[in-house]
Amino acid sequence: MHIAGTTVLLTGVTGGIGGAVAAEMAARGAQLILTGRRREALEPLADRYGARTVLADLADAEDVRRLAEEAAGTDILIANAALPSSGDLLDYTPAQIDRALAVNLRAPAMLARLLAPDMVARGRGHICFVGSLSGMAATKSSSLYNATKFGLRGLSLAFRQDLHGTGVGVSIVQPGFVRDLGMFADTGSPTPGGVRTVAPQQVVKGVARAIERDVAEINVAPLELRFLTKIASQFPGFAERVQRRAGAEKTMNAIVAAQRTSR
């Protein structure tokens, strides 16, 4: 699918790689619809890219429904918004669990469900979920985040099969550790075992490639991390031991502490 001339709905534009994705989509000739909770964060991006904005809280089911209505006619959905959700499950309140599940999994599923019928009727469109390699391999202090990303991957790959032959594609792009943006940049924590990172622009290119070539799954990470993730998905017990030796627990503890301070 060609991006030029399409209408793109992008969630999560004010955090992580969302801004970089917006810049790339605008540069490729897309008309953007940007959404977020804070007007003051959206307005500069709207001015920069000539975009339309919709204020919405993705944890609110009614806001998600309204967002889909206001974004009617969308050709490409890029579901990028996510809460970090790091920390032990026992430390989360029921309300916090509900919010993480709503933003990370329910909202992208509902937006896809609400926008896809019109795409199918027109015989063209694409839905791109931005996930994480945490959707393939579990790590300590990430049980809630892992759950949402495992779920997002399953949703994407199965929904893709549901829409086969309709002219509407579905992809998932799963970054590894991203430098300059995201939780490692925000917290200043080193990656476990000195694993290499990727640049935000590599993730952006992965999103564009997934859309234009209708690729089912793109994992944006160095070769060794992609290999280790595949091993971890098949042999979780072995991966658990390797992560401990690589210092994953220390890294996650630092991330959790930094995120608590910023709340």
Side-chain angles (χ1 to χ4, degrees):
M1 181 164 184
H2 296 294
I3 293 172
T6 62
T7 298
V8 175
L9 171 60
L10 171 63
T11 70
V13 68
T14 59
I17 64 168
V21 173
E24 182 70 14
M25 294 297 110
R28 288 173 178 259
Q31 178 61 50
L32 295 175
I33 303 174
L34 307 177
T35 183
R37 289 187 301 152
R38 295 180 294 119
R39 187 184 302 278
E40 68 276 13
L42 286 177
E43 287 181 346
L45 297 172
D47 294 340
R48 186 180 307 163
Y49 303 122
R52 182 155 61 94
T53 62
V54 180
L55 285 175
D57 182 353
L58 296 184
D60 185 320
E62 180 58 27
D63 269 17
V64 173
R65 184 198 61 76
R66 178 178 53 80
L67 171 59
E69 287 184 353
E70 295 193 29
T74 289
D75 299 298
I76 299 170
L77 166 64
I78 303 177
N80 170 68
L83 297 176
S85 309
S86 299
D88 292 348
L89 187 64
L90 296 181
D91 293 334
Y92 277 81
T93 66
Q96 289 172 327
I97 291 173
D98 286 343
R99 183 169 184 83
L101 292 172
V103 173
N104 293 13
L105 186 55
R106 186 188 186 279
M110 286 303 300
L111 287 173
R113 168 63 185 86
L114 294 170
L115 294 173
D118 188 47
M119 295 182 190
V120 170
R122 286 181 278 128
R124 65 189 298 271
H126 200 94
I127 296 167
C128 182
F129 298 105
V130 179
S132 166
L133 287 186
S134 293
M136 298 180 67
T139 53
K140 185 187 184 305
S141 296
S142 298
S143 54
L144 187 54
Y145 188 70
N146 282 140
T148 60
K149 294 305 180 181
F150 269 71
L152 192 65
R153 181 172 185 256
L155 169 70
S156 177
L157 297 179
F159 193 40
R160 176 183 176 85
Q161 294 186 44
D162 293 345
L163 296 185
H164 178 72
T166 66
V168 180
V170 181
S171 303
I172 186 164
V173 177
Q174 300 180 129
F177 303 122
V178 182
R179 59 180 173 269
D180 302 327
L181 295 172
M183 65 179 182
F184 284 94
D186 294 342
T187 62
S189 302
T191 57
V195 172
R196 290 187 297 153
T197 59
V198 294
Q201 196 59 30
Q202 290 174 266
V203 182
V204 171
K205 288 181 178 179
V207 170
R209 179 169 170 259
I211 294 168
E212 292 185 330
R213 301 187 185 182
D214 190 22
V215 183
E217 181 177 51
I218 294 179
N219 298 324
V220 185
L223 179 62
E224 67 272 18
L225 183 55
R226 282 182 278 145
F227 173 74
L228 290 171
T229 300
K230 291 285 188 183
I231 295 296
S233 68
Q234 295 297 315
F235 305 100
F238 170 74
E240 182 182 339
R241 294 190 293 273
V242 170
Q243 288 175 26
R244 287 198 186 105
R245 292 178 182 177
E249 182 172 351
K250 181 179 179 181
T251 298
M252 289 309 301
N253 287 341
I255 290 172
V256 172
Q259 289 178 350
R260 283 175 178 165
T261 300
S262 64
R263 287 174 185 170

